[in-house]
Amino acid sequence: MRAVMRLLLSALLLLTACAGRAQEAPAPAPAQAPAEVRQILVMLHLPAPHFRPDAAYGANYRDDAGRLARRRIAEALAREHGLTILEGWPMPALNVDCYRMAEPAGAEPGKIVEALSRDARVDWAQAINTFSAQASDPLYPVQPAALQWQLGEVRKAATGRKVLVAVIDSGVETDHPDLAGQIAFQENFVDGQAYAAETHGTGVAGVIAALAGNGVGIEGVAPDARLMALRACWQVAGGATRCNSFTLAKALNFALMHGAQVINLSLSGPADRLLRELIDVACARGVRVVGAVDAASADGGFPASHPGVFAVAADSSRQLTAQVLMAPGRDIPTSAPGARWGMVSGSSYSAAHISGMMAVLSELRPGLTLPQVRSSIVLQPGGINLCATVTRLTGKCTCVCVEVSPPRI
């Protein structure tokens, strides 16, 4: 039976790929990663007095007295420590300006950061960390979520309508047949590269919010959600996806300043102060931040290890702690660049399922605090009972009903 399902689904993927476009675009070549130069981030605690949340701020943001003062301080610090200023970026969510600087050749690792952290002009300084997407084993022909989560029944109650979900990832193919019209914002935060449609970001976006009922491809968990396609990661040779502290921080700041209700971070790396501070702001505002667990890390990796983040592992993995949510993460069909579809696996896509779920729950009960959201989730062996969770929140039976206690609100 399973072999028959594999053959049928393989044929379906081939047919939907052909239906997507008459002339299928070739798969994009992997973008080249930024040059490997040891860089640091320097935060100056000076507000940007003319910040507007509807403006796109880059290295050359508005020229005013505050900006000139910040620049002079950054230049003085650079001269004193032999640094080269590469870029400055305002982060109003933290009330800091963040400067990306290159260390001089031969500098002892950590020494300049330590000296800057003691300087009264500096809020803090840190190294730029590297983060990786949590994906593996592409192209296995199965689609578990529709059956396991009873999505057809859940959609009688909610579809994530008008909920804004930030996909902080590699580039999303915004005109993909399953994503066309789903993108509210598209921004690029990777230096020296044009926005590009890439495998990981396009796949994560499809799991969250692929169109339902359009006759092709798949259906997202929250097909009526609106996506922020924030490219903070890039695809490297071999298909891996990489990000760093600075690109992720710029995207997080943008998401916070533009009203994201859910933030998906299908990636993992070392603990990072700048990202932690931004996630703290998100949690204080009630934003649902979802992070993918790195099974190779004892604590699940960062940001999944952050106490305010909804940490997610694949339902085929061992659960690291009682706080880790389990969601489908193996043999997931989803959107791919070139108006195609493919099979993927990994906790990246488990996190995308939970971000879609958060959009559904946000439509139903947008005012819940993060602890209330967590306590409303109904768990069962191997994962989440989404139907029972919806029933608990609404008090209405939209699925195959199970007896659930009301949420502790």
Side-chain angles (χ1 to χ4, degrees):
M1 182 65 179
R2 184 174 175 84
V4 173
M5 289 179 64
R6 286 175 177 270
L7 289 172
L8 289 174
L9 191 48
S10 296
L12 176 60
L13 288 171
L14 179 60
L15 288 171
T16 53
C18 294
R21 290 180 184 165
Q23 296 295 324
E24 183 180 284
Q32 295 300 310
E36 291 294 334
V37 177
R38 198 162 71 212
Q39 299 175 12
I40 64 173
L41 300 176
V42 181
M43 265 55 69
L44 305 181
H45 190 74
L46 291 169
H50 298 297
F51 171 79
R52 299 198 322 273
D54 61 337
Y57 289 86
N60 298 315
Y61 52 92
R62 294 178 66 88
D63 189 8
D64 54 32
R67 183 233 179 192
L68 292 175
R70 291 187 289 274
R71 183 74 185 187
R72 283 195 293 268
I73 293 173
E75 289 172 348
L77 291 167
R79 284 194 303 271
E80 293 167 17
H81 296 279
L83 299 163
T84 302
I85 297 176
L86 303 175
E87 185 177 4
W89 199 278
M91 295 189 178
L94 297 181
N95 202 32
V96 300
D97 275 4
C98 178
Y99 281 88
R100 182 169 64 96
M101 301 187 187
E103 291 191 340
E108 183 181 339
K111 192 173 184 64
I112 294 177
V113 166
E114 183 181 352
L116 286 168
S117 297
R118 294 194 300 266
D119 194 305
R121 294 167 293 178
V122 176
D123 199 343
W124 84 85
Q126 65 173 73
I128 291 185
N129 292 310
T130 299
F131 293 77
S132 301
Q134 293 301 297
S136 63
D137 303 331
L139 303 178
Y140 282 88
V142 180
Q143 182 174 1
L147 179 62
Q148 290 181 21
W149 281 11
Q150 298 176 259
L151 291 182
E153 299 299 314
V154 167
R155 287 178 187 151
K156 295 176 183 177
T159 57
R161 182 173 176 79
K162 296 183 179 180
V163 176
L164 195 54
V165 181
V167 178
I168 298 179
D169 211 296
S170 60
V172 175
E173 185 170 83
T174 57
D175 61 349
H176 189 284
D178 252 345
L179 294 170
Q182 301 294 77
I183 312 300
F185 294 92
Q186 175 185 313
E187 297 290 337
N188 183 31
F189 298 101
V190 179
D191 306 311
Q193 298 181 18
Y195 192 99
E198 292 160 302
T199 301
H200 194 264
T202 301
V204 166
V207 171
I208 296 171
L211 289 163
N214 62 339
V216 296
I218 62 167
E219 296 186 8
V221 176
D224 289 331
R226 301 283 286 155
L227 298 179
M228 304 172 76
L230 307 183
R231 184 177 184 252
C233 308
W234 57 90
Q235 191 169 312
V236 300
T241 299
R242 299 286 183 262
C243 330
N244 68 42
S245 306
F246 191 51
T247 57
L248 292 170
K250 288 188 289 184
L252 275 167
N253 181 76
F254 184 94
L256 290 170
M257 301 310 293
H258 290 79
Q261 295 157 272
V262 180
I263 296 176
N264 187 87
L265 295 168
S266 287
L267 49 94
S268 186
D272 187 285
R273 178 175 175 179
L274 178 56
L275 301 182
R276 186 185 73 237
E277 298 263 358
L278 286 162
I279 291 171
D280 284 342
V281 171
C283 294
R285 295 181 183 181
V287 178
R288 287 89 163 118
V289 181
V290 179
V293 165
D294 179 1
S297 177
D299 65 353
F302 179 87
S305 59
H306 187 289
V309 170
F310 290 90
V312 188
D315 52 10
S316 57
S317 305
R318 65 180 181 87
Q319 190 168 342
L320 300 180
T321 72
Q323 293 300 305
V324 174
L325 300 174
M326 310 291 278
R330 184 171 177 80
D331 304 343
I332 309 299
T334 191
S335 44
R340 295 177 297 181
W341 291 263
M343 307 302 298
V344 295
S345 294
S347 63
S348 279
Y349 306 101
S350 305
H353 278 83
I354 297 299
S355 288
M357 183 188 80
M358 290 297 168
V360 169
L361 303 186
S362 294
E363 179 190 347
L364 290 172
R365 298 293 297 274
L368 292 184
T369 66
L370 298 186
Q372 288 170 344
V373 172
R374 192 175 291 276
S375 67
S376 72
I377 297 172
V378 177
L379 301 176
Q380 61 185 13
I384 292 168
N385 188 326
L386 182 53
C387 256
T389 299
V390 170
T391 298
R392 170 177 283 183
L393 285 176
T394 63
K396 299 177 182 178
C397 178
T398 58
C399 322
V400 176
C401 287
V402 296
E403 187 173 337
V404 294
S405 57
R408 299 187 296 276
I409 299 173

